[in-house]
Amino acid sequence: MDGDPLVEDAGPRAFCDLCRASIAPGQAVYGQVRDSSFAHPVDPQQDGNRMVTSCCVDHLAELQRQFRERPFVTEELWVAKIDQVMQRYHVGLSNEQLVRETGLNLLQLEAAARWCLGVGPPVDGPGADEG
């Protein structure tokens, strides 16, 4: 995940995810970090992989260090996936609909809810690492 940084060629002004400085077009440095709070808006294969923007290579390295030190919690990723689906609907969904829309199973939905509420250990039984 901490591969070579990408330097943008041109485009709109960006802001550094570390210092929040405005970055001139063509000067942003991009990298990818593992982040269990991130569900990709289009590609579920990219869930947990967040693109970050920085004003310099040093700030990118610091962002990558900070994310490496943050634990990756699978239940947090499941919460992010559920939240993403729920934002598309103005009414509640049944468990069956949530399973279909998120790609998670019922055990994972329950584990995500328990994690969100701060109760119970992480799920490590059958089906816990699917999805």
Side-chain angles (χ1 to χ4, degrees):
M1 291 299 126
D2 293 352
D4 294 332
L6 301 174
V7 179
E8 122 186 273
D9 291 331
R13 200 173 271 297
F15 294 90
C16 180
D17 288 328
L18 183 67
C19 71
R20 303 307 305 158
S22 178
I23 306 169
Q27 300 302 307
V29 180
Y30 296 97
Q32 194 173 45
V33 295
R34 289 285 288 156
D35 180 4
S36 58
S37 72
F38 179 74
H40 194 277
V42 179
D43 182 3
Q45 296 296 326
Q46 292 297 315
D47 287 348
N49 297 310
R50 179 186 296 274
M51 288 297 291
V52 292
T53 305
S54 63
C55 60
C56 64
V57 173
D58 289 342
H59 280 198
L60 175 61
E62 176 60 18
L63 284 164
Q64 289 172 327
R65 183 196 64 75
Q66 289 177 11
F67 276 93
R68 270 192 310 273
E69 290 179 359
R70 184 182 185 278
F72 190 94
V73 180
T74 303
E75 291 82 2
E76 181 180 35
L77 179 60
W78 296 340
V79 168
K81 291 170 71 81
I82 293 165
D83 183 58
Q84 185 179 71
V85 167
M86 295 302 291
Q87 288 185 31
R88 294 195 311 252
Y89 294 90
H90 298 289
V91 295
L93 297 175
S94 69
N95 283 342
E96 292 76 21
Q97 291 169 310
L98 266 178
V99 165
R100 186 172 49 255
E101 293 288 327
T102 62
L104 301 174
N105 62 43
L106 289 174
L107 286 175
Q108 293 166 329
L109 293 179
E110 181 181 346
R114 293 178 65 77
W115 181 86
C116 204
L117 294 171
V119 296
V123 169
D124 58 6
D129 53 1
E130 298 170 5

